[in-house]
Amino acid sequence: MDYRACWCTRARYTVFDSHYGDGAAVRVLTDVWRTDPHRSPNLHIVALCDHLLPGFHRMPQAEPGVTLDLISAPLADALAQLTARVDMFRLHDIEHAGSDFARHVARVAAQDATLQAQGLTQDQVAALAAQGFVFDADGRHARFASRKPRPPAPPAPERRAIVLGAGIAGSAAAERLCARGWQVTVVDRQPQPAMEASGNRAGIFMPLLSKDDNVPTRLTRAAYLYALRHWERLGGIGRAIEGDKCGVLQLARDAGHADVQRAIAADTSLPPDFAEWLERPEAEALLGGLPAPDGGWLFRGAGWARPGSVCAAMLDACGGRLERKFGVGDVRIERDGEQWHLTNEHGIVVARAPNLILANGAGAAQVPQAAPLPLTMLRGQVSHVPADMVPKLPVVLCREAYLTPPSGGVCSAGATYDADPNPALSPESHAENLERLRGLLSDPHAAADAPLAGRVGFRCVAPDRLPLVGRLPDFAAAGTTERLRDVPRHPGLYGLLGYASRGLIWAGLAAELLAAQIEGEPLPLESSLVDALDPARFVLRARRAPRGPQPEN
């Protein structure tokens, strides 16, 4: 088939391939696209790949304009969770996939989508034909000719945006938009980026594991893997980004917790470079003899990074498309016609654009349009412990607390999680960190008399502990809306909020998701996860909350 006749009139051409294999077919397709002077500006390939961890994987590409998503899931499940408009389907090696997938193919098919088939069963061909695909006589090529109305394509956005906040969330948003050719103005009240919640010496990056593979686990796995790949594109940990992929050892809390973790290890096929369960002798050998009484999970590719250096790498990657407006103090936000205006305390316009992304953490509560969101500010104090006061660790060690290997002669320990609004270092919080550090090391005398040193930051947390990614809802106009897609939204207003203590991991993929949503691209996450992160979820929960006095338990 000659792809060139299909993509020459499209701003984005999306291909779905039912079997990635060794990637050879994708490389051929990319080569054809690259050498065609009349190609679509953007080629997006979605392919099933059975040798990855479960879920969606957005794979950063060196070629500008090419996006590759690999999905590890059965065909019907992958298509059911895909948010995209597919221009061409390549269906092969699916003889044992049944025929239920056909309705999902039709759901994501663009008008006049084409299909290449190889080895389909008669039932599969019949199911696709029933959904509107018209096959040629040879049964190997088809065109989608359904008369069912297709949702209209969203209008192309004006590629100018303000990002409020220059921490990890805002820096990631700027980098992902600038990579798509946007002009972005980052506004922050502080004189430098990463001076608030993203200003710690060390942030831990590691995945989550759970027996039921729940939403936080799936989200964090996808975001962790995306971050590792994306950071390599930015220059890498230990090079452009200050930190170390030294590994993280997460100790079991007790014998009962260890039994649950062993069950996860037995039931789940996890590659050892992602997660490996270590029993006590192995864990203690790794720690050089330090106690690990119940064993723990070793995440070999995990480690620590200084969030400010990640922010710097992302902002530097924006190049000339980025305008920095730092040290502006608090700003007032208004919508005037088709533009958002940010003005400082003197009434001077700081920035103006049709799109505004709130990435200012707890500061979003001061924005009228975001004030109804149920976000809480929680204080986190990290203690800086002289390296010679604790054992030298080869990995980050964590349980309910964490302790990093030394950097600049200091280890980071913590962190507290409380509602205290005091930004000053607290002796009580310091004592709490040291007590948990001693429990982690099984040494009641560790870091004895450690001086009061560290840092306080304030996290932005949602009730369900998941981030808010997407267009912000208009609570006042929501009425009795019962579906996410029907919730009215503020025009051109988006949120990247509620990162709690996982901003270092979540920020990159959340920004990629938001940029894809704004651009109308295929989304890099399962639709169930996208819905779980939608800020409008709290509109629906408010509608469903029981009213009136409730009986006491």
Side-chain angles (χ1 to χ4, degrees), residues 3-330:
Y3 305 105
R4 294 170 293 183
C6 300
W7 63 37
C8 62
T9 61
R10 312 209 180 186
R12 176 174 302 280
Y13 193 74
T14 301
V15 177
F16 179 90
D17 194 318
S18 63
H19 186 64
Y20 180 73
D22 61 2
V26 167
R27 289 191 291 273
V28 169
L29 176 59
T30 304
D31 288 341
V32 172
W33 175 85
R34 183 187 299 112
T35 56
D36 181 6
H38 304 294
R39 65 182 179 266
S40 166
N42 298 285
L43 174 64
H44 199 121
I45 303 168
V46 182
L48 298 192
C49 183
D50 56 10
H51 61 263
L52 295 173
L53 287 162
F56 282 43
H57 300 256
R58 179 148 291 184
M59 315 296 287
Q61 301 294 298
E63 185 83 39
V66 176
T67 306
L68 175 62
D69 289 332
L70 299 180
I71 304 176
S72 178
L75 176 62
D77 294 347
L79 288 165
Q81 291 291 321
L82 179 63
T83 303
R85 275 287 168 262
V86 178
D87 300 295
M88 188 187 71
F89 297 89
R90 295 166 54 171
L91 301 181
H92 54 108
D93 298 310
I94 60 169
E95 295 86 351
H96 304 293
S99 59
D100 287 346
F101 69 86
R103 59 192 175 93
H104 299 302
V105 170
R107 180 186 64 82
V108 299
Q111 196 67 44
D112 295 322
T114 57
L115 186 150
Q116 290 185 19
Q118 183 176 343
L120 299 190
T121 67
Q122 291 183 348
D123 286 345
Q124 290 171 338
V125 171
L128 288 165
Q131 293 293 334
F133 282 91
V134 179
F135 280 82
D136 292 345
D138 63 5
R140 298 184 62 182
H141 298 87
R143 182 178 66 85
F144 187 59
S146 173
R147 294 183 178 181
K148 293 181 180 179
R150 300 277 90 188
E158 185 178 348
R159 291 183 170 86
R160 293 190 300 113
I162 302 165
V163 176
L164 183 57
I168 196 77
S171 299
E175 190 271 330
R176 290 291 77 212
L177 288 173
C178 287
R180 289 166 166 82
W182 285 56
Q183 298 294 320
V184 177
T185 302
V186 174
V187 177
D188 199 287
R189 65 180 182 176
Q190 300 287 359
Q192 299 291 332
M195 291 191 69
E196 298 197 16
S198 299
N200 287 347
R201 292 178 64 101
I204 312 306
F205 56 93
M206 57 183 284
L208 280 176
L209 296 174
S210 63
K211 194 169 181 60
D212 58 353
D213 203 33
N214 55 33
V215 168
T217 299
R218 288 157 50 207
L219 170 65
T220 303
R221 177 172 65 236
Y224 166 77
L225 294 172
Y226 177 83
L228 295 184
R229 296 164 183 145
H230 186 53
W231 289 343
E232 281 301 308
R233 300 287 309 154
L234 293 173
I237 297 289
R239 301 188 299 278
I241 296 171
E242 182 182 340
D244 190 1
K245 291 175 65 175
C246 55
V248 174
L249 181 63
Q250 183 180 31
L251 297 178
R253 293 191 298 270
D254 51 40
H257 185 243
D259 287 341
V260 173
Q261 306 314 303
R262 291 187 187 98
I264 295 173
D267 294 344
T268 310
S269 178
L270 295 171
D273 60 341
F274 178 78
E276 182 181 3
W277 174 255
L278 302 184
E279 293 293 352
R280 176 176 181 171
E282 301 164 296
E284 292 183 346
L286 174 67
L287 295 174
L290 289 176
D294 299 297
W297 284 107
L298 174 61
F299 304 107
R300 296 183 187 276
W304 68 271
R306 184 171 65 83
S309 69
V310 180
C311 293
M314 291 189 292
L315 293 175
D316 288 346
C318 294
R321 294 190 175 98
L322 178 67
E323 182 179 14
R324 308 181 190 216
K325 295 286 187 75
F326 296 159
V328 301
D330 293 328

Side-chain angles (χ1 to χ4, degrees), residues 201-202 242-244 304-306 384-387 404-412:
R201 292 178 64 101
E242 182 182 340
D244 190 1
W304 68 271
R306 184 171 65 83
H384 295 161
V385 179
T404 67
S407 173
V410 172
C411 300
S412 293

